[in-house]
Amino acid sequence: MKITFIGAAHQVTGSRTLVEWNPGRYFLVDDGMEQGENTYEMSELPISAVQIEYVFLTHAHIDHSGMLPVLVKEGFRGTIYATAETVDLCSIMLADSAQIQETDAAYETKKNLRTGGPEVQPLYTSEDVSDTMKRFIPCDYNQIIMVDDGLNVRFSDAGHLLGSSFIEFFLTENGQTRKLVCSGDVGNLDQPIIKDPAPLADADYLLIESTYGTREHDTVQKPIPILLDVLRKTFSRGGTVLIPSFAVGRTQELLYYFREIKQNRLLPEYQDFPVYVDNPLANEATAIFLQCSQDCLDDETLQVMKEGSNPIWFDGLFTTVSSDESKALNTNTEPKVIIASGGMCEGGRIRHHLKHNLWNDKNTVMFAGYQAAGTLGRIIFDGAEKVKILGEEIDVKAEIRLLQGISGHADRRGLSAWISSASARPSYIFVNHGDEDSCTGFAKYAAEEFSVPASAPFSGSEFDLLSGEWIRLTEPVYRRKNTSQGSGSSGPKNKPSPYSDLLDALKALNNYAGTLKEASNAEIRELTGKIRKLMD
Ligand SMILES: [Zn+2]
């Protein structure tokens, strides 16, 4: 009985963990896509996709589910277990991901053909997603599911996204049982619509995320007062509030807040302000939220429903679908809110709205989530005076605001409280899904706080769940070139920018310097001299 750490090892995306619950019998927990820049290489699966019998999926976010169609393409013929809401969300999110892969591949092919280059195949297609969706079995929360000999599982609410779960695995080999719990992403307390994370019953082994493993959220800032201030100021100037937002989860939270503002008449002077959701995927996701099981909803949301209101729908909400409807918003001068696709402004309809709104000081651009380094969202947020959008240089004159007080992830306090909610301490805590400082920092914190061994294994490390000992502890393998798809599968790779090449070169130099500790003084002096010369 063995666990192998593959993805989200010392990084926040690409979740993928392999478990051999009996000799030669394997399942995966999550199969996510790597996104953004990653420092380390993810190791290959040590077995073929055909040998994997089951996948258990914690939630629908692409960094947990996005490589499932590749697994199916590579021969996986087993079953994928997930909550019913996760299955519904995967059907739209994987289809959207396939569309992005197909569009990117078509673009690269067109470019290559001009220079005699090869045709580029998409990582996967809509057809691969249809094949994948046929393999899902929807599950309820809190039910023990007897999956196979020696393999029982239970999904519990992780409070992170609609349908999100942590999964308990009851594994038996030769009459010996071990309980492994995989946290998936642990939600933040008091997120609107969905419940708080359910308590952790107990675990022999806990694999826990650490996105905010060393940080604590600001609990003073609340989203509704910030929204009211932004709306009042912008509408008094006759302007538009433009919100770049992720389609699934964050957009529905925003709709919940806008419904609260309207229903409770918190902005009486502008009671009828319109809200446009310009994002087809978000509108499909909203429909899934509207049909979900009441088991997924928190008490406040159920109360709103009991009083006869729809928690995420209100008078003045418009969902635009066609690109003509989207374009029409730019000629409409009424004070309004536009929630548009492209959470970090890297793609989607937000770019076209930024082009039409950013130059005008009547308007406000309000960020409602983390903006990664290097993205257009981050550049605007960091105070650029001009930005290039869709080939045009645009002045940044609009007011730039941040909606604080919202997060989909538990912070260090939340993760710690969740571990404390168990009736007994695990005998080992494995930490993943956090950048270098977060995962190692949280492992150190958890080891001290709970007096149990804890560590953040690198990709490829293996642990024997029966004996409780490491089989293999791997060294980190630094990624030479940053790619957005890094699982070793076929498909288009993003070309690294010259700047990411520079960062890679610096990391390589740093690693090399690390190996010179035992070198002769002459060698060390020689390298130091070269670096100083370069700096001059
Ligand atoms: Zn997530």
Side-chain angles (χ1 to χ4, degrees), residues 59 61 160 185:
H59 65 290
H61 277 149
H160 163 70
D185 288 353

Side-chain angles (χ1 to χ4, degrees), residues 59 61 63-64 160-161 185 409 433:
H59 65 290
H61 277 149
D63 64 319
H64 291 255
H160 163 70
L161 173 74
D185 288 353
H409 287 270
H433 201 291

